[in-house]
Amino acid sequence: QVRLSESGGDSVQAGRSLRLSCVVSGYTWSSFCIGWWRQVDGQGREEVATIDSDGKIAYGDSVKGRFTVSKDNANHNVYLEMHSLKPEDTGMYVCAAVKSNCWVPFPNYHVMDYRGKGTLVTVFS
């Protein structure tokens, strides 16, 4: 059974850094697209970053230059380094995966094959 498990969320002061992990288990895919989305109650879902098995990377406009997404080539784990955090980065960060390379920078969240439960990031000023 495929499972995505996020970790690394915390409550931090603005300007600090966090590293989120998305551990993927239960499968072996030749191609994949894994992304991070963040959800804020009452504000919907925002695209954060995606990375695929070919190494293509995309970032949401609000995080460009501050966040870095990477993958572990030994498995399919994906990491999100977040720097210079701002209060508006607060949200539930969810990783999701689909069994193909990313065909657009941010595939529609609802077509992703698998999703984790999320890890909460709170940034206070």
Side-chain angles (χ1 to χ4, degrees):
Q1 181 178 357
V2 178
R3 178 175 295 178
L4 277 66
S5 298
E6 304 93 336
S7 63
D10 203 350
S11 179
V12 297
Q13 191 170 26
R16 304 297 292 268
S17 300
L18 283 175
R19 183 177 189 253
L20 305 185
S21 298
C22 176
V23 175
V24 186
S25 59
Y27 80 101
T28 300
W29 296 339
S30 58
S31 298
F32 62 86
C33 173
I34 297 178
W36 290 94
W37 283 257
R38 66 184 175 206
Q39 302 173 183
V40 179
D41 288 346
Q43 297 183 27
R45 186 177 298 111
E46 182 180 2
E47 302 159 341
V48 177
T50 57
I51 188 168
D52 71 11
S53 50
D54 283 348
K56 292 196 306 288
I57 290 174
Y59 294 103
D61 289 341
S62 66
V63 307
K64 286 180 181 176
R66 299 187 298 121
F67 290 14
T68 302
V69 65
S70 61
K71 60 183 175 70
D72 186 336
N73 289 322
N75 47 53
H76 299 309
N77 297 344
V78 171
Y79 308 97
L80 186 68
E81 297 274 355
M82 308 188 296
H83 301 288
S84 302
L85 283 163
K86 304 175 182 180
E88 50 263 45
D89 293 319
T90 293
M92 181 68 76
Y93 283 69
V94 178
C95 68
V98 63
K99 293 178 286 186
S100 73
N101 283 321
C102 300
W103 57 96
V104 291
F106 281 96
N108 188 303
Y109 176 81
H110 296 290
V111 306
M112 305 302 276
D113 294 318
Y114 306 99
R115 303 170 191 82
K117 294 182 178 180
T119 185
L120 182 62
V121 173
T122 303
V123 184
F124 57 91
S125 56

